Amino acid sequence: MMTSSISLNPANDRLGTESAFTVLARATELAQTGHDIINLGIGQPDFPTPSHITEAAIKAITDGHHGYTPSMGLPILREAVSADIQMRYGASIPISQIQIMPGGKPTMFFACLIYGGAGHEILYPDPGFPIYASAVNYSGATPVPYGLVEEKGYAFDADEVLSKITPKTRLIIINSPANPTGGITPKSELDKLVAGLAQFPHVTVLSDEIYDRLTFDGEAVSLVSYPEIADRTIILNGWSKTYAMTGWRAGYAIWPTSVVDYADRLAVNIHSCVNAPTQFAALAATTGPQDCVDDMRHAFTRRAKLIHDRLNQLDGISCPAPKGAFYAFANITGTGMASRDFQNIALESYGIALISGTSFGDLGEGYVRFSCANSDDAISTAMDRLADMLKNR
Ligand code: PLP
């Protein structure tokens, strides 16, 4: 047998993936071959991008904004982000620390490249967004999971997180409102984390706040509200979820002054800049009317309640009330099925796309994630089908 002389970067084999995209591809394939599929899998709003936002992008194109923008993003958009943060959280962030990114994901990847590397440890939530562990592994750092458990409403436990810090820890990734659990970290736990970090000046926190506007009761707390760790706080946020703009690829990062130049250099090396029409669309989103955000949040709140109520009526399934993002994370241990089998049978035999909890970490075994990004009718039909699936198993 011939052996290949092509030798690749071993880091390739450390990259993970996001099962939601695999399930979406299979669900689309089934739908295209005539199957009636209800998609409660992928985490993207089912609403169109509001028209005042799309019109701003069209105007940018007709006005001739076809070229590169500064690698950090259009100053006018960075000013708008800074003003928005000032208005919502009362924090003053200079635009020199704000970088416009092609979506939320690149911020986590950049952060892992900047803080990771061999010999370093990065803490991340399990269950959590799968790209965290993937990016940590790719960087060469050691991923150290901390648990988010159902008994605590999936809120993270600051004491547990602090107890996992070692001299090798460089970064802690936190996410609230959270994917996949729909949990929200209470202010008291964030207070405790920040107070505890005083003992660990070598540790930076990456706060993934991509769902910050999607809360079902009460507000999420931003880490920008803690000036005492401003020099070691990274904020990940963006327009994808709040304004139904997942395909536009618009996000932003706030970097500590000490690393912002590295983030800019990564942007110059990798993507140069976010395309200009998308940046004008993001500007219209941030500075324009916000009732579209409220309308979408109300719809997600109603659907999350519907999913929660219906799931808890099913034999073998229990689901804590989702508090934010747009996910319900249901405990299926009572069905006796493994999470991956549950996902596959639901899709292949009952036409319901949902995501196995194991896609989000080892602690996701015994759980499945439902996205609320579908109509009330579709959700009700999916729950009827799920009842049949459980009856017939
Ligand atoms: N962070 C979390 C927790 C997410 O769930 C997602 C997307 O699902 C992202 C970040 C990435 O967002 P974007 O699509 O803007 O890259």
XYZ file of all heavy atoms in Angstrom, residues 289-369:
618
model
N -34.996 51.321 15.065
C -36.044 50.921 16.019
C -35.770 49.528 16.591
O -35.294 48.649 15.870
C -37.322 50.924 15.177
C -36.888 50.978 13.750
C -35.504 51.527 13.705
N -36.069 49.370 17.871
C -35.766 48.101 18.550
C -37.016 47.250 18.780
O -36.944 46.192 19.406
C -35.070 48.384 19.893
C -33.741 49.127 19.748
C -32.697 48.360 18.952
O -32.338 47.248 19.286
N -32.227 48.959 17.841
N -38.175 47.717 18.279
C -39.372 46.906 18.546
C -39.302 45.530 17.883
O -39.904 44.576 18.363
C -40.664 47.656 18.176
C -40.544 48.442 16.892
O -39.399 48.757 16.500
O -41.575 48.714 16.270
N -38.497 45.403 16.807
C -38.353 44.082 16.167
C -37.716 43.095 17.151
O -38.072 41.914 17.196
C -37.520 44.193 14.891
S -35.924 45.006 15.107
N -36.776 43.591 17.965
C -36.112 42.714 18.947
C -37.134 42.266 19.993
O -37.201 41.086 20.361
C -34.929 43.451 19.630
C -34.265 42.567 20.679
C -33.919 43.910 18.589
N -37.963 43.222 20.447
C -38.983 42.879 21.450
C -39.983 41.873 20.874
O -40.355 40.910 21.545
C -39.729 44.143 21.901
C -38.806 45.091 22.657
O -37.823 44.601 23.254
O -39.040 46.312 22.621
N -40.374 42.101 19.626
C -41.356 41.187 19.018
C -40.796 39.764 18.946
O -41.478 38.790 19.272
C -41.722 41.648 17.600
C -42.518 42.950 17.628
O -42.967 43.350 18.717
O -42.656 43.577 16.551
N -39.540 39.665 18.525
C -38.951 38.319 18.410
C -38.807 37.690 19.800
O -39.078 36.509 19.993
C -37.602 38.382 17.685
C -37.770 38.626 16.194
S -36.251 38.442 15.241
C -35.661 40.113 15.164
N -38.393 38.528 20.764
C -38.234 37.973 22.115
C -39.572 37.464 22.658
O -39.643 36.403 23.274
C -37.640 39.029 23.063
C -37.254 38.386 24.396
C -36.680 39.336 25.418
N -37.574 40.425 25.710
C -37.340 41.695 25.390
N -36.244 42.022 24.764
N -38.217 42.625 25.683
N -40.639 38.220 22.407
C -41.956 37.774 22.884
C -42.335 36.443 22.244
O -42.852 35.539 22.908
C -43.024 38.830 22.589
C -42.852 40.071 23.419
N -43.124 41.332 22.970
C -42.386 40.237 24.684
C -42.839 42.219 23.908
N -42.382 41.565 24.963
N -42.059 36.314 20.940
C -42.389 35.053 20.256
C -41.575 33.894 20.849
O -42.119 32.820 21.134
C -42.117 35.189 18.764
N -40.281 34.121 21.079
C -39.445 33.045 21.641
C -39.901 32.685 23.061
O -39.892 31.520 23.451
C -37.969 33.444 21.650
C -37.351 33.492 20.277
C -36.561 34.570 19.886
C -37.549 32.465 19.364
C -35.992 34.619 18.619
C -36.983 32.501 18.092
C -36.207 33.586 17.712
N -40.315 33.713 23.806
C -40.775 33.460 25.187
C -42.014 32.556 25.161
O -42.118 31.580 25.906
C -41.117 34.797 25.890
O -40.003 35.669 25.774
C -41.445 34.591 27.359
N -42.945 32.896 24.272
C -44.196 32.121 24.185
C -43.905 30.684 23.741
O -44.408 29.719 24.323
C -45.111 32.821 23.160
C -46.526 32.307 23.143
C -47.338 32.980 22.053
N -46.806 32.691 20.728
C -46.324 33.616 19.884
N -46.314 34.876 20.218
N -45.845 33.251 18.694
N -43.011 30.550 22.757
C -42.715 29.204 22.242
C -41.927 28.375 23.247
O -42.129 27.168 23.351
C -41.920 29.310 20.959
C -42.692 29.949 19.833
C -41.680 30.413 18.859
N -42.197 31.002 17.670
C -41.392 31.350 16.666
N -40.095 31.147 16.743
N -41.891 31.901 15.602
N -41.031 29.038 23.977
C -40.258 28.295 24.989
C -41.206 27.731 26.036
O -41.051 26.597 26.500
C -39.221 29.214 25.634
N -42.230 28.525 26.384
C -43.205 28.064 27.370
C -44.004 26.884 26.800
O -44.252 25.893 27.486
C -44.127 29.232 27.751
C -45.111 28.863 28.830
C -45.856 30.049 29.367
C -46.932 29.675 30.373
N -47.379 28.310 30.435
N -44.358 27.009 25.521
C -45.115 25.928 24.869
C -44.291 24.632 24.873
O -44.787 23.557 25.265
C -45.459 26.359 23.430
C -46.150 25.349 22.533
C -47.510 24.954 23.110
C -46.336 25.921 21.109
N -43.034 24.726 24.463
C -42.174 23.526 24.428
C -42.028 22.961 25.832
O -42.162 21.753 26.056
C -40.776 23.868 23.850
C -40.885 24.213 22.377
C -39.788 22.716 24.068
C -39.550 24.393 21.661
N -41.779 23.841 26.785
C -41.591 23.416 28.168
C -42.840 22.704 28.686
O -42.766 21.596 29.238
C -41.254 24.671 29.006
C -41.235 24.443 30.469
N -42.186 24.963 31.323
C -40.391 23.733 31.243
C -41.918 24.591 32.550
N -40.836 23.844 32.539
N -44.020 23.293 28.465
C -45.273 22.689 28.959
C -45.507 21.334 28.300
O -45.824 20.347 28.973
C -46.475 23.599 28.648
C -46.465 24.857 29.502
O -45.658 24.914 30.456
O -47.240 25.785 29.192
N -45.324 21.292 26.974
C -45.620 20.051 26.271
C -44.617 18.947 26.628
O -44.995 17.780 26.795
C -45.633 20.288 24.746
C -46.778 21.144 24.252
C -48.123 20.428 24.277
N -48.150 19.113 23.663
C -48.510 18.837 22.414
N -48.886 19.818 21.622
N -48.530 17.606 21.952
N -43.350 19.306 26.749
C -42.343 18.281 27.073
C -42.622 17.652 28.433
O -42.495 16.437 28.614
C -40.937 18.889 27.085
C -40.302 19.171 25.724
C -38.962 19.894 25.902
C -40.096 17.873 24.937
N -43.032 18.492 29.383
C -43.249 17.966 30.734
C -44.496 17.086 30.837
O -44.714 16.443 31.864
C -43.272 19.112 31.747
C -41.851 19.591 32.047
O -40.979 18.805 32.405
N -41.601 20.868 31.858
N -45.304 17.076 29.761
C -46.463 16.158 29.770
C -46.089 14.789 29.201
O -46.896 13.873 29.189
C -47.595 16.749 28.919
C -48.259 17.963 29.568
C -49.084 18.766 28.563
O -49.402 18.293 27.473
N -49.422 19.986 28.939
N -44.873 14.669 28.666
C -44.489 13.410 28.017
C -43.835 12.452 29.011
O -43.027 12.882 29.854
C -43.507 13.692 26.870
C -44.054 14.532 25.711
C -42.939 14.838 24.714
C -45.199 13.796 25.017
N -44.166 11.174 28.850
C -43.596 10.140 29.719
C -42.087 10.059 29.562
O -41.591 9.945 28.447
C -44.172 8.779 29.305
C -45.255 8.356 30.253
O -45.541 9.140 31.176
O -45.809 7.256 30.040
N -41.356 10.123 30.652
C -39.909 9.915 30.590
C -39.117 11.183 30.307
O -37.892 11.151 30.230
N -39.812 12.312 30.104
C -39.098 13.556 29.780
C -39.426 14.622 30.823
O -40.579 14.764 31.239
C -39.490 14.086 28.386
C -39.122 13.050 27.327
C -38.825 15.421 28.096
C -39.155 13.531 25.917
N -38.409 15.340 31.249
C -38.659 16.506 32.098
C -37.771 17.634 31.590
O -36.686 17.401 31.052
C -38.352 16.190 33.564
O -36.987 15.875 33.696
N -38.282 18.848 31.758
C -37.531 19.977 31.200
C -37.663 21.183 32.124
O -38.770 21.656 32.364
C -38.096 20.302 29.817
S -37.232 21.650 29.009
N -36.538 21.667 32.642
C -36.608 22.893 33.441
C -37.025 24.069 32.555
O -36.773 24.040 31.347
C -35.167 23.096 33.931
C -34.387 21.919 33.502
C -35.173 21.174 32.464
N -37.641 25.064 33.139
C -38.101 26.216 32.339
C -36.905 26.964 31.760
O -36.016 27.379 32.506
C -38.930 27.144 33.211
N -36.857 27.119 30.429
C -35.764 27.918 29.842
C -35.882 29.374 30.294
O -36.980 29.906 30.375
C -36.011 27.803 28.337
C -37.026 26.745 28.137
C -37.788 26.612 29.415
N -34.745 29.988 30.542
C -34.759 31.377 31.028
C -34.319 32.376 29.962
O -34.538 33.573 30.100
C -33.835 31.503 32.237
C -34.250 30.613 33.413
C -33.521 31.062 34.681
C -33.984 30.296 35.897
N -33.315 29.002 36.056
N -33.649 31.879 28.929
C -33.193 32.794 27.888
C -32.602 32.037 26.720
O -32.713 30.816 26.644
N -31.917 32.765 25.812
C -31.506 32.243 24.499
C -32.785 31.760 23.807
O -33.859 32.304 24.071
C -30.439 31.169 24.620
N -32.729 30.728 22.981
C -34.022 30.194 22.529
C -33.983 28.675 22.471
O -34.330 28.067 21.478
C -34.502 30.804 21.200
C -33.439 31.082 20.177
C -32.685 30.071 19.625
C -33.220 32.390 19.759
C -31.726 30.334 18.664
C -32.260 32.678 18.796
C -31.510 31.645 18.255
N -33.553 28.105 23.618
C -33.431 26.656 23.677
C -34.103 26.090 24.929
O -34.132 26.741 25.971
C -31.950 26.257 23.739
C -31.146 26.835 22.611
C -30.213 27.842 22.846
C -31.340 26.403 21.303
C -29.481 28.390 21.804
C -30.623 26.950 20.260
C -29.684 27.940 20.510
O -28.974 28.492 19.480
N -34.615 24.849 24.786
C -35.059 24.076 25.946
C -34.164 22.843 25.977
O -33.943 22.201 24.940
C -36.517 23.683 25.782
N -33.618 22.536 27.152
C -32.689 21.410 27.279
C -33.378 20.377 28.162
O -33.486 20.552 29.373
C -31.388 21.902 27.905
C -30.191 21.046 27.599
C -29.832 20.742 26.291
C -29.382 20.571 28.632
C -28.702 19.978 26.006
C -28.257 19.809 28.359
C -27.913 19.514 27.048
N -33.875 19.319 27.501
C -34.759 18.383 28.200
C -34.008 17.151 28.682
O -33.173 16.594 27.966
C -35.880 17.962 27.258
N -34.369 16.719 29.874
C -33.823 15.498 30.454
C -34.634 14.319 29.912
O -35.852 14.252 30.112
C -33.956 15.603 31.982
C -33.343 14.430 32.696
O -33.321 13.321 32.161
N -32.858 14.656 33.898
N -33.959 13.402 29.214
C -34.678 12.263 28.601
C -34.298 10.937 29.246
O -34.593 9.879 28.698
C -34.397 12.188 27.081
C -32.886 12.028 26.809
C -34.956 13.405 26.356
C -32.551 11.312 25.541
N -33.631 11.010 30.402
C -33.144 9.752 31.002
C -34.299 8.781 31.290
O -34.130 7.571 31.201
C -32.343 10.013 32.301
O -33.060 10.933 33.098
C -30.970 10.576 32.019
N -35.477 9.335 31.604
C -36.641 8.489 31.909
C -37.114 7.664 30.723
O -37.905 6.728 30.889
N -36.653 7.999 29.516
C -37.073 7.216 28.334
C -36.191 5.982 28.153
O -36.505 5.096 27.361
C -36.956 8.048 27.027
O -35.568 8.307 26.780
C -37.714 9.357 27.132
N -35.056 5.958 28.861
C -34.118 4.837 28.723
C -33.314 4.902 27.427
O -32.541 3.995 27.114
N -33.474 5.962 26.645
C -32.742 6.054 25.371
C -31.491 6.905 25.540
O -31.480 7.862 26.325
C -33.622 6.722 24.291
C -34.849 5.915 23.935
S -36.029 6.912 23.000
C -35.308 6.840 21.389
N -30.465 6.541 24.762
C -29.268 7.387 24.746
C -29.595 8.627 23.901
O -30.413 8.571 22.982
C -28.101 6.631 24.127
N -28.936 9.741 24.218
C -29.271 11.010 23.552
C -29.118 10.935 22.035
O -29.946 11.430 21.276
C -28.380 12.127 24.086
O -28.619 12.293 25.453
N -28.021 10.324 21.570
C -27.776 10.267 20.124
C -28.846 9.428 19.426
O -29.325 9.788 18.353
C -26.370 9.694 19.869
C -25.884 9.726 18.462
C -25.523 11.099 17.944
N -24.481 11.751 18.731
C -24.075 13.001 18.541
N -24.630 13.744 17.605
N -23.145 13.524 19.293
N -29.260 8.301 20.062
C -30.327 7.467 19.475
C -31.626 8.268 19.404
O -32.364 8.213 18.418
C -30.557 6.200 20.319
C -29.342 5.283 20.280
O -28.506 5.457 19.370
O -29.222 4.417 21.170
N -31.888 9.007 20.477
C -33.099 9.827 20.531
C -33.099 10.809 19.352
O -34.086 10.946 18.630
C -33.121 10.584 21.865
C -34.441 11.194 22.227
C -35.257 10.619 23.183
C -34.879 12.374 21.620
C -36.483 11.189 23.531
C -36.092 12.959 21.956
C -36.892 12.371 22.908
N -31.959 11.476 19.153
C -31.837 12.449 18.050
C -32.087 11.771 16.691
O -32.846 12.280 15.867
C -30.429 13.053 18.056
C -30.097 13.897 16.821
C -28.606 14.224 16.707
O -28.083 14.991 17.513
N -27.931 13.654 15.725
N -31.437 10.613 16.499
C -31.523 9.957 15.190
C -32.926 9.415 14.912
O -33.452 9.561 13.807
C -30.480 8.835 15.095
C -29.068 9.408 15.096
O -28.879 10.593 14.802
N -28.079 8.597 15.443
N -33.538 8.789 15.928
C -34.887 8.225 15.719
C -35.884 9.360 15.488
O -36.753 9.300 14.615
C -35.292 7.330 16.914
C -34.378 6.106 16.964
C -36.759 6.916 16.822
C -34.485 5.267 18.227
N -35.743 10.434 16.277
C -36.675 11.572 16.120
C -36.604 12.110 14.690
O -37.636 12.393 14.071
C -36.341 12.672 17.133
N -35.385 12.213 14.139
C -35.252 12.791 12.795
C -35.651 11.788 11.707
O -36.470 12.090 10.838
C -33.807 13.269 12.569
C -33.528 13.879 11.188
C -34.453 15.073 10.908
C -32.081 14.326 11.066
N -35.065 10.596 11.784
C -35.239 9.651 10.677
C -36.650 9.062 10.625
O -37.173 8.826 9.547
C -34.210 8.507 10.783
C -32.749 8.966 10.764
C -32.304 9.570 9.426
O -32.886 9.219 8.391
O -31.377 10.411 9.436
N -37.259 8.832 11.791
C -38.553 8.139 11.775
C -39.736 9.062 12.059
O -40.869 8.718 11.736
C -38.561 7.005 12.811
O -37.469 6.137 12.590
N -39.491 10.205 12.698
C -40.628 11.073 13.057
C -40.495 12.492 12.503
O -41.345 13.341 12.756
C -40.811 11.095 14.588
C -41.238 9.739 15.101
C -40.290 8.763 15.424
C -42.587 9.404 15.188
C -40.672 7.492 15.839
C -42.987 8.137 15.609
C -42.024 7.190 15.924
O -42.424 5.947 16.328
N -39.434 12.739 11.760
C -39.309 14.035 11.085
C -39.126 15.224 12.017
O -39.525 16.340 11.690
N -38.509 14.981 13.191
C -38.248 16.115 14.097
C -36.735 16.279 14.203
O -36.031 15.378 14.675
C -38.756 15.846 15.538
C -40.161 15.229 15.532
C -38.727 17.134 16.371
C -40.474 14.530 16.833
N -36.242 17.443 13.794
C -34.810 17.718 13.950
C -34.589 18.349 15.313
O -35.197 19.373 15.649
C -34.333 18.655 12.852
N -33.774 17.705 16.126
C -33.372 18.229 17.434
C -31.929 17.789 17.639
O -31.398 17.021 16.834
C -34.302 17.730 18.549
C -34.618 16.228 18.572
C -33.524 15.446 19.244
C -35.941 15.985 19.296
N -31.293 18.259 18.684
C -29.859 17.979 18.825
C -29.573 17.207 20.110
O -30.001 17.617 21.198
C -29.025 19.292 18.847
C -29.440 20.246 17.711
C -27.526 18.990 18.801
C -28.988 19.849 16.335
N -28.815 16.115 19.948
C -28.401 15.324 21.109
C -27.567 16.179 22.068
O -26.684 16.937 21.639
C -27.537 14.150 20.607
O -26.811 13.596 21.670
N -27.834 16.014 23.363
C -27.064 16.764 24.368
C -25.576 16.469 24.311
O -24.749 17.311 24.692
N -25.214 15.264 23.799
C -23.791 14.910 23.742
C -23.023 15.773 22.737
O -21.798 15.795 22.759
C -23.621 13.419 23.367
O -24.446 13.161 22.223
C -24.037 12.510 24.500
N -23.736 16.481 21.873
C -23.066 17.400 20.943
C -22.468 18.589 21.687
O -21.717 19.375 21.107
C -24.059 17.950 19.921
O -24.652 16.908 19.227
N -22.840 18.739 22.954
C -22.415 19.914 23.724
C -21.482 19.547 24.874
O -21.201 20.386 25.732
C -23.656 20.653 24.264
C -24.624 21.021 23.178
C -25.738 20.229 22.919
C -24.409 22.134 22.385
C -26.621 20.557 21.899
C -25.278 22.468 21.361
C -26.395 21.672 21.113
N -21.031 18.286 24.872
C -20.106 17.867 25.931
C -20.576 16.588 26.590
O -21.734 16.163 26.416
N -19.669 15.980 27.349
C -19.988 14.690 27.977
C -21.180 14.791 28.924
O -21.959 13.855 29.071
C -18.772 14.178 28.764
C -17.646 13.782 27.825
O -17.912 13.654 26.606
O -16.492 13.638 28.300
N -21.321 15.942 29.585
C -22.415 16.072 30.553
C -23.778 16.223 29.873
O -24.803 16.279 30.548
C -22.161 17.250 31.500
C -20.972 17.087 32.459
C -20.873 18.283 33.406
C -21.078 15.798 33.269
N -23.760 16.274 28.540
C -25.029 16.369 27.808
C -25.696 15.022 27.589
O -26.819 14.956 27.088
N -25.031 13.919 27.986
C -25.681 12.599 27.862
C -26.909 12.595 28.767
O -26.868 13.072 29.903
C -24.716 11.475 28.249
C -25.308 10.072 28.061
C -25.856 9.809 26.646
O -25.078 9.411 25.772
O -27.072 10.017 26.435
N -28.022 12.100 28.212
C -29.277 12.101 28.986
C -30.138 13.319 28.688
O -31.212 13.491 29.270
N -29.667 14.158 27.750
C -30.416 15.384 27.420
C -30.519 15.553 25.896
O -29.677 15.045 25.149
C -29.703 16.620 27.995
C -29.670 16.624 29.507
C -28.680 15.921 30.199
C -30.644 17.296 30.246
C -28.663 15.894 31.588
C -30.630 17.282 31.631
C -29.640 16.570 32.294
O -29.638 16.549 33.669
N -31.530 16.300 25.456
C -31.580 16.743 24.063
C -31.984 18.211 24.045
O -32.681 18.683 24.943
C -32.554 15.922 23.168
C -32.086 14.488 23.013
C -33.977 15.981 23.702
N -31.528 18.915 22.988
C -31.832 20.350 22.885
C -32.909 20.593 21.832
O -32.822 20.085 20.715
C -30.574 21.137 22.495
C -30.801 22.645 22.548
C -29.663 23.412 21.891
N -29.763 23.409 20.437
C -28.981 24.110 19.620
N -28.012 24.867 20.129
N -29.133 24.063 18.311
